[in-house]
Amino acid sequence: MKEELKNLVEMATEEAKSIKTENDYLNIKSKYLGKKSKLSEYMSSLKDMTVEDKKKYGPLFNKIKNDLEALFTNYYENAINGEEKITFDPTIPADEKNGSLHPVTIVAKEITDILKNIGFMVLEGPEMESDYYNFVALNVPKNHPARDMQDTYWLDNGALLRTHTSPVQARAMEKYGAPIKMCVPGRVFRNEDLDASHENTFFQLEGMVIDKNISISNVIYVMKGMLREVFKQDVEVRLRPGFFPFVEPGFELDCSCTICNGKGCPTCKNSGWIELCPCGMVHPEVLKMSGVDPEEYTGFAFGLGLTRMAMMKYKISDIRGFNSGDLRFLDQFNVR
Ligand code: PHE
Protein backbone atom coordinates (compact mmCIF):
# COMPACT_ATOMS: atom_id res chain seq x y z
CA MET A 1 0.00 0.00 0.00
CA LYS A 2 2.77 2.45 0.95
CA GLU A 3 4.50 1.81 -2.36
CA GLU A 4 1.29 2.31 -4.29
CA LEU A 5 0.60 5.60 -2.57
CA LYS A 6 4.10 6.77 -3.29
CA ASN A 7 3.71 5.98 -6.97
CA LEU A 8 0.41 7.75 -7.05
CA VAL A 9 1.86 10.93 -5.56
CA GLU A 10 4.83 10.78 -7.91
CA MET A 11 2.64 10.42 -10.95
CA ALA A 12 0.34 13.22 -9.87
CA THR A 13 3.29 15.52 -9.15
CA GLU A 14 4.74 14.86 -12.56
CA GLU A 15 1.45 15.37 -14.33
CA ALA A 16 0.70 18.57 -12.41
CA LYS A 17 3.58 20.26 -14.19
CA SER A 18 1.65 20.18 -17.44
CA ILE A 19 -1.33 22.16 -16.10
CA LYS A 20 -1.79 25.08 -18.46
CA THR A 21 -5.50 25.76 -18.69
CA GLU A 22 -8.58 25.54 -16.53
CA ASN A 23 -9.53 22.34 -18.34
CA ASP A 24 -6.19 20.71 -17.48
CA TYR A 25 -6.73 21.71 -13.88
CA LEU A 26 -10.25 20.26 -13.67
CA ASN A 27 -9.23 17.05 -15.45
CA ILE A 28 -6.27 16.35 -13.23
CA LYS A 29 -8.33 17.09 -10.15
CA SER A 30 -11.01 14.67 -11.16
CA LYS A 31 -8.44 12.03 -12.14
CA TYR A 32 -6.58 12.09 -8.83
CA LEU A 33 -9.11 13.42 -6.33
CA GLY A 34 -12.51 12.78 -7.92
CA LYS A 35 -15.08 10.13 -6.92
CA LYS A 36 -13.62 7.54 -9.28
CA SER A 37 -10.01 8.22 -8.39
CA LYS A 38 -7.64 5.70 -6.84
CA LEU A 39 -7.42 7.85 -3.75
CA SER A 40 -11.20 7.75 -3.28
CA GLU A 41 -11.05 4.00 -3.63
CA TYR A 42 -8.46 3.81 -0.89
CA MET A 43 -10.50 6.08 1.29
CA SER A 44 -13.60 4.00 0.99
CA SER A 45 -11.57 0.92 1.82
CA LEU A 46 -10.87 2.50 5.21
CA LYS A 47 -14.11 1.18 6.66
CA ASP A 48 -12.96 -2.41 6.18
CA MET A 49 -9.60 -1.88 7.83
CA THR A 50 -8.57 -2.80 11.34
CA VAL A 51 -8.66 -0.02 13.89
CA GLU A 52 -4.89 0.14 13.82
CA ASP A 53 -4.74 0.51 10.05
CA LYS A 54 -7.49 3.11 10.17
CA LYS A 55 -5.41 5.20 12.53
CA LYS A 56 -2.43 4.82 10.28
CA TYR A 57 -3.99 5.36 6.89
CA GLY A 58 -6.85 7.78 7.63
CA PRO A 59 -4.62 10.79 8.30
CA LEU A 60 -2.23 9.76 5.55
CA PHE A 61 -4.95 9.69 2.91
CA ASN A 62 -6.19 13.07 4.06
CA LYS A 63 -2.76 14.56 3.90
CA ILE A 64 -2.17 13.27 0.39
CA LYS A 65 -5.53 14.65 -0.67
CA ASN A 66 -4.81 18.11 0.76
CA ASP A 67 -1.26 18.21 -0.57
CA LEU A 68 -2.28 17.25 -4.08
CA GLU A 69 -5.10 19.74 -4.06
CA ALA A 70 -2.69 22.52 -3.03
CA LEU A 71 -0.17 21.40 -5.62
CA PHE A 72 -2.66 21.43 -8.48
CA THR A 73 -4.03 24.81 -7.45
CA ASN A 74 -0.53 26.19 -7.21
CA TYR A 75 0.42 25.07 -10.71
CA TYR A 76 -2.88 26.33 -12.05
CA GLU A 77 -2.44 29.76 -10.44
CA ASN A 78 1.10 30.07 -11.70
CA ALA A 79 -0.03 29.17 -15.20
CA ILE A 80 -2.74 31.82 -15.11
CA ASN A 81 -0.50 34.49 -13.66
CA GLY A 82 2.07 33.73 -16.32
CA GLU A 83 -0.62 34.23 -18.88
CA GLU A 84 -1.53 37.54 -17.29
CA LYS A 85 2.04 38.69 -17.59
CA ILE A 86 1.97 37.97 -21.28
CA THR A 87 -1.18 39.98 -21.75
CA PHE A 88 0.20 42.79 -19.53
CA ASP A 89 -0.70 46.15 -21.00
CA PRO A 90 2.31 48.49 -20.93
CA THR A 91 0.20 51.49 -21.92
CA ILE A 92 -1.57 51.63 -18.56
CA PRO A 93 -0.06 54.61 -16.64
CA ALA A 94 2.24 53.64 -13.76
CA ASP A 95 1.50 54.41 -10.13
CA GLU A 96 3.07 57.82 -9.79
CA LYS A 97 3.92 57.72 -6.12
CA ASN A 98 7.67 58.24 -5.71
CA GLY A 99 9.83 56.88 -2.94
CA SER A 100 11.83 59.35 -0.84
CA LEU A 101 15.18 59.43 0.87
CA HIS A 102 15.36 58.68 4.58
CA PRO A 103 16.03 61.84 6.63
CA VAL A 104 19.30 60.37 7.96
CA THR A 105 20.41 59.61 4.39
CA ILE A 106 19.69 63.21 3.41
CA VAL A 107 21.73 64.64 6.29
CA ALA A 108 24.55 62.11 5.77
CA LYS A 109 24.83 63.03 2.12
CA GLU A 110 24.77 66.72 2.87
CA ILE A 111 27.56 66.47 5.44
CA THR A 112 29.76 64.05 3.51
CA ASP A 113 29.43 66.32 0.44
CA ILE A 114 30.67 69.27 2.49
CA LEU A 115 33.58 67.24 3.87
CA LYS A 116 34.42 65.84 0.43
CA ASN A 117 34.74 69.41 -0.83
CA ILE A 118 37.51 70.05 1.67
CA GLY A 119 39.36 66.86 0.79
CA PHE A 120 37.91 64.15 3.05
CA MET A 121 37.59 60.58 1.76
CA VAL A 122 34.25 58.92 2.53
CA LEU A 123 34.78 55.41 3.93
CA GLU A 124 32.72 52.51 5.23
CA GLY A 125 33.33 49.82 7.79
CA PRO A 126 31.59 46.61 8.82
CA GLU A 127 28.58 46.72 11.15
CA MET A 128 29.58 43.33 12.58
CA GLU A 129 32.91 44.30 14.10
CA SER A 130 35.65 42.56 16.05
CA ASP A 131 36.48 43.24 19.66
CA TYR A 132 39.88 44.42 18.43
CA TYR A 133 38.68 47.26 16.20
CA ASN A 134 35.70 48.31 18.33
CA PHE A 135 37.74 48.44 21.55
CA VAL A 136 41.36 47.28 21.71
CA ALA A 137 42.65 49.36 18.76
CA LEU A 138 40.92 52.34 20.37
CA ASN A 139 42.87 52.05 23.57
CA VAL A 140 40.16 50.11 25.42
CA PRO A 141 41.83 46.80 26.35
CA LYS A 142 39.93 43.80 27.76
CA ASN A 143 38.45 44.45 31.24
CA HIS A 144 38.88 48.22 30.90
CA PRO A 145 36.04 49.97 32.77
CA ALA A 146 35.40 52.25 29.77
CA ARG A 147 33.80 49.26 28.03
CA ASP A 148 30.79 49.77 30.28
CA MET A 149 30.21 53.18 28.68
CA GLN A 150 28.91 51.42 25.60
CA ASP A 151 26.23 48.79 26.05
CA THR A 152 27.42 46.25 23.56
CA TYR A 153 25.45 43.63 21.65
CA TRP A 154 27.73 40.61 21.56
CA LEU A 155 27.21 37.97 18.90
CA ASP A 156 27.47 34.19 19.26
CA ASN A 157 30.53 34.11 17.01
CA GLY A 158 32.53 36.32 19.42
CA ALA A 159 32.12 39.41 17.25
CA LEU A 160 29.87 42.34 18.17
CA LEU A 161 27.65 44.95 16.58
CA ARG A 162 29.81 48.05 16.45
CA THR A 163 28.87 50.52 19.15
CA HIS A 164 30.35 53.47 17.25
CA THR A 165 31.95 54.35 13.91
CA SER A 166 35.36 54.87 15.57
CA PRO A 167 36.67 51.38 14.64
CA VAL A 168 37.02 52.74 11.10
CA GLN A 169 39.67 55.17 12.45
CA ALA A 170 41.96 52.21 13.02
CA ARG A 171 40.96 50.41 9.83
CA ALA A 172 41.62 53.55 7.77
CA MET A 173 45.04 54.23 9.30
CA GLU A 174 46.07 50.60 8.74
CA LYS A 175 44.97 50.74 5.13
CA TYR A 176 45.99 54.24 4.06
CA GLY A 177 48.58 55.35 6.64
CA ALA A 178 49.19 59.07 7.29
CA PRO A 179 48.46 61.78 6.31
CA ILE A 180 44.75 61.07 5.98
CA LYS A 181 41.44 62.95 5.99
CA MET A 182 38.42 60.72 6.15
CA CYS A 183 34.81 60.50 7.26
CA VAL A 184 32.53 57.53 7.84
CA PRO A 185 28.75 57.74 7.97
CA GLY A 186 27.33 54.54 9.43
CA ARG A 187 24.86 52.63 11.54
CA VAL A 188 25.77 51.75 15.11
CA PHE A 189 24.10 49.65 17.79
CA ARG A 190 23.75 49.89 21.56
CA ASN A 191 21.77 47.81 23.97
CA GLU A 192 19.59 50.67 25.21
CA ASP A 193 16.01 50.89 26.36
CA LEU A 194 13.96 52.79 23.81
CA ASP A 195 12.31 56.10 24.53
CA ALA A 196 11.75 59.39 22.70
CA SER A 197 15.46 60.20 22.72
CA HIS A 198 17.10 56.72 22.87
CA GLU A 199 17.31 54.10 20.14
CA ASN A 200 19.29 50.88 20.03
CA THR A 201 20.12 51.49 16.37
CA PHE A 202 21.22 54.92 15.20
CA PHE A 203 23.68 56.68 12.90
CA GLN A 204 26.96 58.45 13.48
CA LEU A 205 29.44 60.23 11.30
CA GLU A 206 33.06 59.73 12.23
CA GLY A 207 35.62 62.27 11.06
CA MET A 208 39.39 62.05 11.35
CA VAL A 209 42.32 64.11 10.13
CA ILE A 210 45.91 62.99 10.65
CA ASP A 211 48.78 65.12 9.44
CA LYS A 212 51.81 67.03 10.65
CA ASN A 213 51.03 69.86 13.09
CA ILE A 214 47.32 69.18 13.51
CA SER A 215 45.93 70.81 16.63
CA ILE A 216 42.58 71.32 18.27
CA SER A 217 42.14 74.60 16.42
CA ASN A 218 41.75 72.53 13.24
CA VAL A 219 38.74 70.73 14.77
CA ILE A 220 37.12 74.05 15.61
CA TYR A 221 37.73 75.39 12.12
CA VAL A 222 36.36 72.29 10.35
CA MET A 223 33.32 71.99 12.60
CA LYS A 224 32.42 75.66 12.30
CA GLY A 225 32.70 75.52 8.52
CA MET A 226 30.65 72.36 8.31
CA LEU A 227 27.89 73.61 10.60
CA ARG A 228 27.67 76.91 8.72
CA GLU A 229 26.94 74.94 5.55
CA VAL A 230 24.45 72.58 7.19
CA PHE A 231 22.42 75.21 9.02
CA LYS A 232 22.93 77.95 6.42
CA GLN A 233 23.96 80.43 9.10
CA ASP A 234 27.01 81.28 11.19
CA VAL A 235 27.29 79.24 14.37
CA GLU A 236 29.59 79.51 17.36
CA VAL A 237 31.18 76.43 18.85
CA ARG A 238 32.64 75.82 22.28
CA LEU A 239 34.55 72.94 23.83
CA ARG A 240 34.05 71.35 27.22
CA PRO A 241 36.30 68.60 28.58
CA GLY A 242 35.08 65.09 27.83
CA PHE A 243 36.53 61.64 28.32
CA PHE A 244 37.03 58.97 25.67
CA PRO A 245 39.94 56.53 25.92
CA PHE A 246 40.92 57.03 22.29
CA VAL A 247 41.40 60.80 22.44
CA GLU A 248 43.69 62.95 24.57
CA PRO A 249 42.64 65.61 25.30
CA GLY A 250 38.97 64.81 24.71
CA PHE A 251 36.10 67.28 24.42
CA GLU A 252 32.38 67.69 24.04
CA LEU A 253 31.70 70.19 21.32
CA ASP A 254 28.62 72.40 21.65
CA CYS A 255 27.22 74.70 19.00
CA SER A 256 25.20 77.84 19.55
CA CYS A 257 21.50 77.01 19.39
CA THR A 258 20.30 77.46 15.83
CA ILE A 259 16.72 77.86 16.95
CA CYS A 260 17.13 80.89 19.23
CA ASN A 261 20.60 81.97 18.02
CA GLY A 262 22.03 81.56 21.47
CA LYS A 263 19.45 83.62 23.33
CA GLY A 264 17.93 80.65 25.15
CA CYS A 265 14.85 78.55 24.27
CA PRO A 266 13.27 75.23 25.30
CA THR A 267 15.34 73.26 22.73
CA CYS A 268 18.63 74.36 24.28
CA LYS A 269 17.09 74.35 27.75
CA ASN A 270 17.72 78.09 27.92
CA SER A 271 21.47 77.66 27.83
CA GLY A 272 21.91 78.97 24.27
CA TRP A 273 24.09 75.90 23.47
CA ILE A 274 23.38 72.48 22.02
CA GLU A 275 25.58 69.50 22.74
CA LEU A 276 26.63 68.33 19.32
CA CYS A 277 29.48 65.88 19.27
CA PRO A 278 32.39 64.43 21.16
CA CYS A 279 35.83 64.97 19.68
CA GLY A 280 39.48 65.23 20.60
CA MET A 281 43.08 64.69 19.57
CA VAL A 282 43.69 61.07 18.54
CA HIS A 283 45.50 59.31 21.39
CA PRO A 284 49.18 58.57 20.61
CA GLU A 285 48.59 54.91 21.57
CA VAL A 286 45.83 54.65 18.96
CA LEU A 287 48.13 56.10 16.29
CA LYS A 288 50.89 53.71 17.30
CA MET A 289 48.68 50.60 17.28
CA SER A 290 47.54 51.37 13.74
CA GLY A 291 51.06 51.95 12.48
CA VAL A 292 51.25 55.76 12.53
CA ASP A 293 54.23 57.38 14.25
CA PRO A 294 52.94 59.73 16.99
CA GLU A 295 56.29 61.56 17.02
CA GLU A 296 55.71 62.62 13.45
CA TYR A 297 51.95 62.92 13.19
CA THR A 298 49.05 64.20 15.26
CA GLY A 299 45.36 64.18 14.44
CA PHE A 300 41.86 64.96 15.56
CA ALA A 301 38.68 62.88 15.44
CA PHE A 302 35.03 63.59 16.04
CA GLY A 303 31.92 61.44 16.29
CA LEU A 304 28.88 63.34 15.11
CA GLY A 305 25.44 61.93 15.94
CA LEU A 306 23.80 61.85 12.51
CA THR A 307 20.42 60.84 13.85
CA ARG A 308 20.63 63.74 16.30
CA MET A 309 21.55 66.12 13.45
CA ALA A 310 18.52 64.94 11.46
CA MET A 311 16.32 65.53 14.51
CA MET A 312 17.66 69.07 14.83
CA LYS A 313 17.41 69.85 11.15
CA TYR A 314 13.85 68.59 10.75
CA LYS A 315 12.71 69.41 14.30
CA ILE A 316 11.78 65.80 15.02
CA SER A 317 11.12 65.24 18.68
CA ASP A 318 10.79 61.42 18.82
CA ILE A 319 13.76 59.35 17.66
CA ARG A 320 11.63 56.21 17.28
CA GLY A 321 10.14 57.45 13.99
CA PHE A 322 13.44 56.89 12.18
CA ASN A 323 13.47 53.10 12.32
CA SER A 324 9.72 52.62 12.34
CA GLY A 325 9.34 52.23 8.57
CA ASP A 326 6.13 54.24 9.05
CA LEU A 327 5.39 55.84 5.69
CA ARG A 328 3.42 58.66 7.28
CA PHE A 329 6.69 59.69 8.99
CA LEU A 330 8.97 59.05 6.03
CA ASP A 331 6.77 60.68 3.40
CA GLN A 332 7.37 64.08 4.97
CA PHE A 333 10.93 64.08 3.60
CA ASN A 334 10.00 63.79 -0.02
CA VAL A 335 13.36 64.78 -1.40
CA ARG A 336 14.87 62.54 -4.05
N1 PHE B 1 33.06 57.07 19.33
C1 PHE B 1 32.61 57.91 20.39
C2 PHE B 1 31.21 57.47 20.83
O1 PHE B 1 30.45 57.07 20.01
C3 PHE B 1 32.58 59.36 19.98
C4 PHE B 1 33.93 59.95 19.64
C5 PHE B 1 34.42 59.89 18.36
C6 PHE B 1 34.69 60.58 20.62
C7 PHE B 1 35.66 60.45 18.05
C8 PHE B 1 35.89 61.15 20.32
C9 PHE B 1 36.37 61.08 19.04
O2 PHE B 1 30.87 57.50 21.97
Side-chain angles (χ1 to χ4, degrees), residues 134 138 149-150 163-167 169 188 190 202 204-208 242-247 249-252 277-282 300-304:
N134 198 81
L138 294 169
M149 284 164 66
Q150 312 207 328
T163 57
H164 50 180
T165 41
S166 300
Q169 288 187 23
V188 302
R190 292 195 196 170
F202 54 99
Q204 291 187 329
L205 183 127
E206 194 80 10
M208 183 180 76
F243 172 74
F244 294 89
F246 35 95
V247 284
F251 304 99
E252 293 285 349
C277 81
C279 60
M281 298 302 292
V282 180
F300 71 78
F302 61 86
L304 190 69

Side-chain angles (χ1 to χ4, degrees), residues 34-57:
K35 283 211 181 79
K36 293 193 182 129
S37 66
K38 264 255 160 309
L39 193 63
S40 281
E41 236 177 85
Y42 290 139
M43 281 177 142
S44 45
S45 71
L46 267 176
K47 59 180 184 316
D48 303 316
M49 289 184 184
T50 60
V51 177
E52 218 175 73
D53 276 357
K54 266 187 199 150
K55 272 194 195 148
K56 189 158 115 198
Y57 285 110

Side-chain angles (χ1 to χ4, degrees), residues 37 44 49 51 59 70 87 113 134 150 177 184 194 204 217 229 244 264 276 283 290 302 307 315 322 328-329:
S37 66
S44 45
M49 289 184 184
V51 177
T87 56
D113 278 351
N134 198 81
Q150 312 207 328
V184 188
L194 271 57
Q204 291 187 329
S217 60
E229 294 284 322
F244 294 89
L276 197 67
H283 198 290
S290 296
F302 61 86
T307 305
K315 306 199 172 28
F322 287 100
R328 287 166 305 181
F329 172 79

